[in-house]
Amino acid sequence: MGKYSEDPLWADIEPLPTDEGGPNPLAAIAYSEEYEETMSYMRAVMAANEYSDRVLELTEDLIDMNPAHYTVWLYRAKTLFHLDKDLREELEWLNETALEHQKNYQIWHHRNLIVDRLDDCEGETEFVEQMFVKDAKNYHVWSYRQWLVKRFGLWETEELEFTERMLREDVRNNSAWNHRWYIVNGREAEGVKGEWDEGLRKRELDFAKNAVGKTPQNQSPWNYLRAIVRTAGVPLASLKEFAEQYASLDRPDSVRSSFALDLLADIFAEEEGGKDKAGKALDLLAAKYDPIRKNYWAYRKSQLGLESSTPEAVVAA
Amino acid sequence: MAITDSAADDTLDELLRNKARIIELPDDNNEDEVTGVPFPGNHLRKNGIHHLPQWLQQTTIGLFHDDYNTVSSEALDKTAAECLPHLTGQDNQGIPLNRHGLPHLQRKQHASFLHTPLKGLPAPYAAMDASRPWLFYWCTAGLSFLREDVSMYRERLMETVRPLQNKIGGFGGGHGQLSHCACTYATLLALATVGGLDVIDREAMWHWLGTVKQADGGFRMAIGAEEDIRGAYCAMTAITLLNLPLELPPDSPTREAGLTHFTDRLGEWISTCQSYEGGISSAPNHEVHGAYAFCALACLCILGPPHITIPKYLDVDRLIRCLTTLQTNPEGGFAGRTNKLVDACYSHWVGGCWALLEAAVVGPHEAKQNGSVSSAESRLWNREALVRYLLTCCQQPGPKGGMRDKPSARPDGYHTCYSLSGLSAAQNQYTYNTTASTTDRETGRLLSAFNWKGERASEGDMKGLSVERNDVVELVHPVFVIRFEAVEEARRKFARGGFPVVEGTD
């Protein structure tokens, strides 16, 4: 006998035990009695389309045992809305659960549904930031944060400062770079054209260049720089002087960043008569600075119509 | 990891993973002249190992070590340190070596590891109660990649999934659970692998898929759940393998938005998932992630020939650049995101992108020129480095076998399956037949995904990759990630399309 079968509150429900499909199910889970019983009652209430307080308790029990149970989460949300429950209370309960199950996806989708319905995001950005203390790259949490920004129009508030804070903590956190890009460009989808005037461009270029200065072999700000010039419609060559601080064909022995060399190769390729120089940069990457990607560098040469060279030849030159 | 939802990376990790078991470096890494900071791998110089590939030589490893440490760089350094002794052959964990000096693929042990969960799972696996179909797929498909016979599981799997199939169509994670694209995909592929497709109610599936198709062109994972690129790939896999009509069912809510076909606005929606970094994210504006790149590319390869649909909807040069940088130095495996750690599962999610991208880049032009597009030299990526990472770092030593994310992680079915399919992607050659037809005239079925050919690693390939015949994994279909034979069976079985007429409904 278990918690539910002994409870008079549940006496009217005929539990639906697990159908294993046959006598020898594959990868059958030896459920604990508690889990099996709770799921049996869950199946029964779902089959009866029951939305009630006792269903909320049941879902809470199940989520506690299996937080990845998407069916139970979705049914809980339906029940809460059906009963017109106090969603603030739900958020409080969620806060505890989220901290226990950091990487769980369902919890964030559920939070999304609740906060959307509440139509109020008070305290949300603070809570999200708290989540980042433990895992600053949690994909679901960053996705949720983006949703908050869009849903509640937080573009102009403190999001930019927030990304700066996160990147001060870890300048290699690519999720934070992605969020920054979203804050600067995300409104395009809503018809607000990203205003890439000179001021904004300079601000963002300086921000990324400063990060490169600290960590030249950090791919995130290099990706960001390339994206700015492409989106703002500025020639790639505008980054040449900057890239040459970290890689130069004149000083092939003291390249400080493979990403700078890669960028230079693209810049040379766009220059008139620059193909050979581009080829040299790509050879240098293949032979010395990034040999794990030697096939890719050779492919890039072939795109320029250049023959591939042997590593020996490059080193000798 | 993305496609499995929270199943593999979250629940299993949290519940079942041991504390990290970091393999200590020998205590001689105090020679730090090269960079001025202690760096994993410095000890290798002393041993004078010259047979190592260039990216594992000290001169390369010591490059570019920025002094400015952060949480990310510390994690990256720690991972390099735990992998280097294995990569360089200092610690082979007692696994017998092949004649090129790499550990053999422990076929028997990995097979036994994959058979085990199918026998039954202890109570803590209740945490995977919503993702059990993945276990069916990882285990049966993984076994088939090792050329193990899995036909003995046919009847039992067909029985087991019957309560997972809902009357409204599709499969949930368990009895009484909502139909879900990921559960449906995993169940479908497992059934195809063991030859049990008859259990699927195709007509109901068609109706259900009509309820998750969205007006913007994408697919939700379940009714009321998130819309992301996994949904698109999973749904199109079901539609194509089962030869469901491409027309939306009449009861599909999306029809109200003016859509008439499952493929409407789909390519355009996938376009919006290409991020500023050039890679693909789960949904527009999210961070680039290797697993989503595979979902996007495979989905486009269902919609049409790779050299047509991929460049039509994606900026190929930027995508290639982004994916290339995910191959980590010095480990040689792939990371899922910029500045994140290598993980064996991306051997499939990113490693599996290359056959599709190479076909997109080559197209019919070079195929004609050279007769065949396949060449022993890989065109875009480093196959040799991936093979080395998987064989040296990701095999769990000992009789229980299994493959793992990285040396400090425990093996599991997810990493074993995708390590094996990643190995297959690196070892064998996959080419697209540009002359085959792309649509079935009678049923309208999209045929492009069936036009792939696999070619086993040649002697030359094997030598270049430092493997022997016994270390080579079976051919794995580059779009559907099951054996070619299983894909062919599904193609043949549903060639006539349509739905069976049930007696008494007339």
Side-chain angles (χ1 to χ4, degrees):
Chain A
M1 298 297 272
K3 177 177 170 185
Y4 294 95
S5 56
E6 283 174 14
D7 188 342
L9 184 69
W10 288 91
D12 60 312
I13 295 286
E14 184 66 39
L16 284 174
T18 307
D19 178 358
E20 291 283 17
N24 293 303
L26 275 186
I29 298 168
Y31 302 115
S32 66
E33 275 176 37
E34 191 190 0
Y35 186 83
E36 169 63 28
E37 191 199 26
T38 318
M39 256 320 278
S40 301
Y41 278 83
M42 188 71 218
R43 271 187 288 265
V45 295
M46 282 178 17
N49 287 319
E50 175 179 327
Y51 303 102
S52 62
D53 282 320
R54 65 179 184 180
V55 165
L56 289 178
E57 276 173 44
L58 196 63
T59 58
E60 194 172 328
D61 255 8
L62 272 168
I63 285 164
D64 203 38
M65 287 185 271
N66 177 9
H69 213 313
Y70 62 88
T71 305
V72 175
W73 279 107
L74 290 169
Y75 201 79
R76 181 178 176 88
K78 256 191 180 176
T79 309
L80 286 165
F81 299 155
H82 193 91
L83 298 177
D84 207 13
K85 281 283 167 189
D86 178 357
L87 298 178
R88 285 270 160 217
E89 253 175 52
E90 180 69 1
L91 275 185
E92 269 168 41
W93 173 75
L94 266 184
N95 288 354
E96 290 165 33
T97 316
L99 289 168
E100 267 173 54
H101 305 289
Q102 282 272 327
K103 282 193 162 185
N104 179 277
Y105 176 83
Q106 282 73 23
I107 221 167
W108 293 98
H109 184 65
H110 186 72
R111 195 174 189 99
N112 183 311
L113 296 176
I114 301 297
V115 172
D116 190 36
R117 181 94 164 195
L118 258 178
D119 198 23
D120 177 6
C121 69
E122 200 200 322
E124 285 305 286
T125 56
E126 291 79 4
F127 178 73
V128 163
E129 195 160 347
Q130 200 187 327
M131 293 295 295
F132 286 137
V133 174
K134 269 196 175 171
D135 177 5
K137 300 182 180 181
N138 188 317
Y139 204 87
H140 308 314
V141 183
W142 280 104
S143 303
Y144 176 69
R145 179 105 186 183
Q146 277 197 358
W147 174 80
L148 281 178
V149 169
K150 188 173 179 186
R151 169 69 174 76
F152 296 99
L154 308 180
W155 309 101
E156 309 279 351
T157 54
E158 291 157 8
E159 284 303 285
L160 213 58
E161 288 76 21
F162 161 66
T163 65
E164 268 160 40
R165 214 155 48 236
M166 293 300 290
L167 289 170
R168 242 194 326 273
E169 199 63 38
D170 182 355
V171 71
R172 296 179 179 87
N173 183 348
N174 198 58
S175 308
W177 283 99
N178 187 73
H179 194 67
R180 187 174 180 96
W181 183 261
Y182 181 63
I183 297 309
V184 176
N185 297 278
R187 269 179 292 182
E188 273 188 45
E190 297 171 6
V192 183
K193 191 77 192 121
E195 286 170 36
W196 281 100
D197 60 32
E198 215 180 316
L200 177 65
R201 194 166 74 227
K202 185 171 181 317
R203 185 190 77 192
E204 292 307 297
L205 284 172
D206 286 349
F207 185 78
K209 285 177 178 175
N210 186 31
V212 169
K214 279 189 216 159
T215 53
Q217 189 60 9
N218 174 4
Q219 193 187 345
S220 297
W222 287 105
N223 286 354
Y224 200 82
L225 284 172
R226 276 179 180 271
I228 293 171
V229 295
R230 198 186 61 250
T231 309
V234 181
L236 204 55
S238 63
L239 292 172
K240 186 172 178 183
E241 211 173 298
F242 178 73
E244 280 180 334
Q245 294 174 31
Y246 299 93
S248 161
L249 290 183
D250 299 334
R251 284 170 276 117
D253 288 329
S254 51
V255 169
R256 289 162 64 203
S257 167
S258 67
F259 302 111
L261 199 49
D262 175 11
L263 176 59
L264 271 183
D266 277 342
I267 293 171
F268 289 140
E270 286 181 2
E271 288 175 359
E272 210 176 303
K275 270 193 188 177
D276 285 342
K277 277 170 117 179
K280 274 191 188 137
L282 294 168
D283 281 343
L284 208 49
L285 282 161
K288 181 169 180 184
Y289 289 106
D290 196 23
I292 200 167
R293 270 166 276 280
K294 61 180 192 291
N295 290 330
Y296 172 65
W297 305 123
Y299 167 73
R300 285 268 295 276
K301 276 188 82 176
S302 74
Q303 283 187 305
L304 296 173
L306 298 168
E307 293 286 314
S308 57
S309 5
T310 63
E312 293 73 24
V314 178
V315 173
Chain B
M1 315 212 169
I3 196 167
T4 63
D5 221 289
S6 58
D9 58 331
D10 309 337
T11 324
L12 258 195
D13 278 13
E14 277 172 21
L15 267 179
L16 307 171
R17 186 172 279 185
N18 276 349
K19 285 274 175 217
R21 180 176 50 84
I22 305 298
I23 293 167
E24 299 292 337
L25 276 180
D27 191 23
D28 60 353
N29 52 352
N30 50 355
E31 300 170 73
D32 49 10
E33 307 86 308
V34 175
T35 60
V37 289
F39 190 75
N42 280 5
H43 61 291
L44 300 173
R45 207 168 358 158
K46 206 154 86 179
N47 302 335
I49 298 171
H50 354 264
H51 64 270
L52 289 173
Q54 200 191 344
W55 66 89
L56 284 174
Q57 286 172 20
Q58 181 54 37
T59 44
T60 309
I61 291 173
L63 290 165
F64 307 132
H65 196 69
D66 295 337
D67 289 348
Y68 190 95
N69 287 329
T70 63
V71 179
S72 291
S73 62
E74 279 161 13
L76 288 162
D77 289 351
K78 194 170 135 190
T79 299
E82 76 172 80
C83 293
L84 275 168
H86 303 304
L87 291 164
T88 56
Q90 287 204 321
D91 178 0
N92 294 310
Q93 307 182 91
I95 300 176
L97 301 183
N98 67 23
R99 81 170 94 100
H100 308 283
L102 284 192
H104 269 299
L105 178 66
Q106 300 288 88
R107 306 180 74 97
K108 270 192 192 157
Q109 290 85 337
H110 301 327
S112 140
F113 183 83
L114 290 172
H115 278 296
T116 305
L118 294 172
K119 291 174 190 149
L121 299 161
Y125 275 85
M128 285 199 71
D129 195 29
S131 31
R132 207 166 129 229
W134 282 111
L135 285 171
F136 307 149
Y137 167 64
W138 297 328
C139 294
T140 57
L143 284 165
S144 77
F145 302 161
L146 291 166
R147 207 190 311 171
E148 293 281 310
D149 180 20
V150 288
S151 60
M152 75 276 210
Y153 290 126
R154 178 186 306 146
E155 300 304 324
R156 285 176 63 196
L157 183 61
M158 289 171 76
E159 273 183 22
T160 306
V161 303
R162 191 182 43 77
L164 276 56
Q165 183 166 220
N166 287 303
K167 280 207 177 69
I168 62 157
F171 291 84
H175 171 215
Q177 298 185 32
L178 293 175
S179 291
H180 192 280
C181 278
C183 300
T184 299
Y185 168 90
T187 305
L188 166 63
L189 295 191
L191 287 169
T193 297
V194 301
L197 290 169
D198 284 326
V199 76
I200 297 178
D201 182 341
R202 292 170 54 254
E203 189 166 2
M205 174 83 81
W206 179 61
H207 281 280
W208 173 68
L209 288 170
T211 64
V212 291
K213 173 78 181 176
Q214 298 299 296
D216 62 9
F219 290 81
R220 283 192 190 277
M221 294 303 284
I223 297 172
E226 68 280 14
E227 176 186 20
D228 69 40
I229 203 154
R230 298 169 304 159
Y233 167 55
C234 293
M236 289 310 297
T237 294
I239 287 166
T240 307
L241 278 181
L242 299 173
N243 196 7
L244 307 178
L246 283 178
E247 292 85 23
L248 287 163
D251 53 355
S252 168
T254 324
R255 278 193 174 271
E256 283 168 31
L259 279 69
T260 55
H261 288 75
F262 281 108
T263 49
D264 287 353
R265 299 182 194 163
L266 180 51
E268 289 79 2
W269 187 81
I270 291 173
S271 291
T272 64
C273 295
Q274 184 162 28
S275 117
Y276 76 93
E277 292 188 86
I280 311 291
S281 49
S282 60
N285 299 314
H286 293 175
E287 189 184 359
V288 157
H289 194 297
Y292 301 127
F294 179 79
C295 293
L297 290 170
C299 188
L300 289 174
C301 288
I302 292 173
L303 291 179
H307 56 283
I308 294 174
T309 49
I310 294 175
K312 181 172 175 190
Y313 294 110
L314 299 173
D315 179 336
V316 177
D317 284 346
R318 290 201 302 123
L319 176 58
I320 290 175
R321 178 206 301 285
C322 183
L323 293 179
T324 302
T325 60
L326 293 177
Q327 190 156 25
T328 65
N329 217 352
E331 297 89 355
F334 289 96
R337 298 186 250 166
T338 308
N339 283 336
K340 290 264 292 179
L341 305 177
V342 66
D343 178 337
C345 72
Y346 299 116
S347 307
H348 164 69
W349 296 121
V350 184
C353 289
W354 299 110
L356 312 179
L357 279 169
E358 284 169 4
V361 165
V362 170
H365 175 65
E366 275 187 47
K368 222 179 211 173
Q369 263 183 355
N370 305 339
S372 163
V373 290
S374 105
S375 66
E377 286 288 307
S378 156
R379 308 174 60 91
L380 297 174
W381 62 302
N382 193 330
R383 295 164 183 256
E384 187 191 351
L386 178 62
V387 170
R388 181 179 287 262
Y389 177 66
L390 288 169
L391 292 180
T392 61
C393 291
C394 303
Q395 299 196 83
Q396 181 74 15
K400 283 188 178 168
M403 298 187 77
R404 60 199 182 191
D405 161 351
K406 51 176 72 64
S408 56
R410 282 171 56 124
D412 57 40
Y414 170 72
H415 286 91
T416 305
C417 174
Y418 288 129
S419 291
L420 291 173
S421 87
L423 262 182
S424 181
Q427 293 170 334
N428 303 304
Q429 303 282 345
Y430 300 95
T431 49
Y432 182 81
N433 178 0
T434 55
T435 57
S437 53
T438 57
T439 314
D440 182 66
R441 258 187 237 155
E442 308 249 313
T443 63
R445 187 185 208 176
L446 296 172
L447 294 179
S448 297
F450 297 104
N451 296 339
W452 290 85
K453 201 181 93 188
E455 214 176 303
R456 275 167 213 286
S458 68
E459 289 297 323
D461 293 338
M462 288 193 285
K463 197 172 165 220
L465 298 170
S466 303
V467 293
E468 293 179 32
R469 179 58 67 199
N470 237 356
D471 306 322
V472 175
V473 175
E474 293 303 293
L475 298 175
V476 175
H477 193 278
V479 175
F480 298 124
V481 206
I482 49 179
R483 290 278 305 270
F484 272 78
E485 292 85 342
V487 172
E488 198 45 41
E489 168 74 13
R491 171 194 174 123
R492 200 187 43 72
K493 191 177 182 63
F494 304 116
R496 290 171 59 192
F499 299 120
V501 179
V502 183
E503 274 176 57
T505 55
D506 278 356

